[in-house]
Amino acid sequence: MLTRVLAALSDPIRLGLVRLLADGQERGWGELRAPVAKSTLSHHLKVLRDAGVTRTRQEGTRCFVQLRRTDLDNRFPQLMEALLSVAATDDIGGDVTAARRDAPR
Amino acid sequence: MLTRVLAALSDPIRLGLVRLLADGQERGWGELRAPVAKSTLSHHLKVLRDAGVTRTRQEGTRCFVQLRRTDLDNRFPQLMEALLSVAATDDIGGDVTAARRDAPR
DNA sequence: ACCTTCGTTCGATAATCGACAAACATCGAA
DNA sequence: TTCGATGTTTGTCGATTATCGAACGAAGGT
C-alpha cells in the first residue's frame, strides 16, 4: 500500500535508514547508528519491514538489513529515486550512520 | 520539509484530494466530496495547506483550493509525478470526488 | 436587522505513534 | 552449562492524529 510506505518514510530516522541502505548494500544491525535507544531502532526497522521497504536476514545471532529496492521500483516506479534525491539534498536523517563493520557497539 | 509532505500524503483522503486537484484546476471547497464530516475535511485541507501542498484562496464567503504543483515540482522534483501515477493506478482515495459546480450540498 | 450559507475552530474521544527501560529469547562461545 | 552478545517484545509515558458534532464568525442576500 502506497500510503503505508509514505507513512513509513515520513519519519526522519527511518528515512535516514533508507538513505543509508540506498546503495543496495546489506548492513549489519549492529553497524547502524541512530540517536535513539536500541528498542526504538528495532521498532523503526520493524515499521520499514512491515511496510515492505526493507528485508531482514538472520544469520546466527545477528541480522542484516537490506533495502528492497527492486521490489519498490517495480511497485512504485520513480518514487524511491525522487525521494532519495530530495532526502540527500536536504540531508534528512543525516544523523543515521553506519559504523565500521568491526567497530564496538 | 519532505517528511512533512510525506506525512500529509500518507492519508488516503488527503491523497484523494491531491489526485482530484492534480489537473491544476482550482476547486471550490463546496464541490469537494469526501466520506467524512465537513469539520474533518476542513482539518485535512489544513494539513495539506500547512505542509505546503495546497493553496487556498478566499473569495467572499467561499474559498477555492488549488494544488501548488509548480512549487512542489521545484522543491521535490519528480515526486508528485511518481506519487500521482501510483495513486491513480491503485485508485487511492477514489472516494474523494468533486460535485458539479452548481450541485446542491 | 435578520437569516442563510460557508468554512473554521472548539471540545471530546479513541486510536496511533515515538520514545525509553526492562525483561525476554536465542544463539555462540567459554 | 553458564555466560555474554544480539535483537525483539512488553509496558508505559506523553504527544499527535482522525473523527465527530456543536458552536462560532464572516459575508451576502432578503
Side-chain angles (χ1 to χ4, degrees):
Chain A
M1 180 89 71
L2 175 62
T3 52
R4 193 86 176 286
V5 172
L6 294 181
L9 299 180
S10 69
D11 180 281
I13 290 191
R14 289 194 293 259
L15 201 44
L17 288 167
V18 169
R19 281 182 64 197
L20 198 61
L21 298 168
D23 61 2
Q25 284 301 311
E26 202 180 43
R27 302 282 175 159
W29 206 105
E31 292 179 63
L32 304 175
R33 293 288 178 276
V36 290
K38 72 171 182 174
S39 56
T40 304
L41 181 56
S42 178
H43 160 68
H44 283 310
L45 287 170
K46 177 176 168 57
V47 172
L48 290 173
R49 219 182 309 131
D50 291 353
V53 175
T54 60
R55 185 198 323 280
T56 289
R57 179 174 67 88
Q58 186 130 8
E59 186 180 314
T61 176
R62 42 186 83 181
C63 46
F64 297 86
V65 190
Q66 192 179 18
L67 187 64
R68 296 177 57 179
R69 185 64 188 265
T70 61
D71 290 340
L72 290 168
D73 282 347
N74 284 336
R75 184 106 186 67
F76 312 116
Q78 297 298 119
L79 182 57
M80 294 312 285
E81 185 180 324
L83 235 37
L84 288 170
S85 171
V86 176
T89 303
D90 297 5
D91 192 32
I92 295 174
D95 49 0
V96 178
T97 60
R100 279 183 4 259
R101 217 175 307 278
D102 59 337
R105 28 178 303 88
Chain B
M1 181 91 69
L2 176 60
T3 52
R4 194 87 177 285
V5 173
L6 294 181
L9 299 180
S10 68
D11 179 283
I13 290 192
R14 289 194 292 259
L15 201 44
L17 288 167
V18 169
R19 281 182 64 197
L20 198 61
L21 299 169
D23 61 3
Q25 283 301 310
E26 201 180 44
R27 303 281 175 160
W29 205 106
E31 291 179 64
L32 305 175
R33 294 288 179 276
V36 290
K38 72 170 181 173
S39 55
T40 304
L41 181 56
S42 178
H43 161 68
H44 284 309
L45 287 169
K46 177 176 167 58
V47 172
L48 290 173
R49 220 183 308 132
D50 291 353
V53 175
T54 61
R55 183 198 327 275
T56 290
R57 178 175 66 87
Q58 186 129 8
E59 184 179 315
T61 175
R62 44 186 81 183
C63 46
F64 298 87
V65 189
Q66 193 178 18
L67 188 64
R68 296 177 57 178
R69 186 63 188 266
T70 59
D71 289 340
L72 290 167
D73 282 348
N74 284 336
R75 184 105 184 69
F76 313 114
Q78 297 298 117
L79 182 58
M80 295 311 286
E81 186 180 323
L83 236 36
L84 289 170
S85 172
V86 176
T89 304
D90 297 5
D91 193 31
I92 294 173
D95 49 0
V96 178
T97 59
R100 281 184 359 262
R101 217 174 308 275
D102 60 337
R105 34 177 288 96

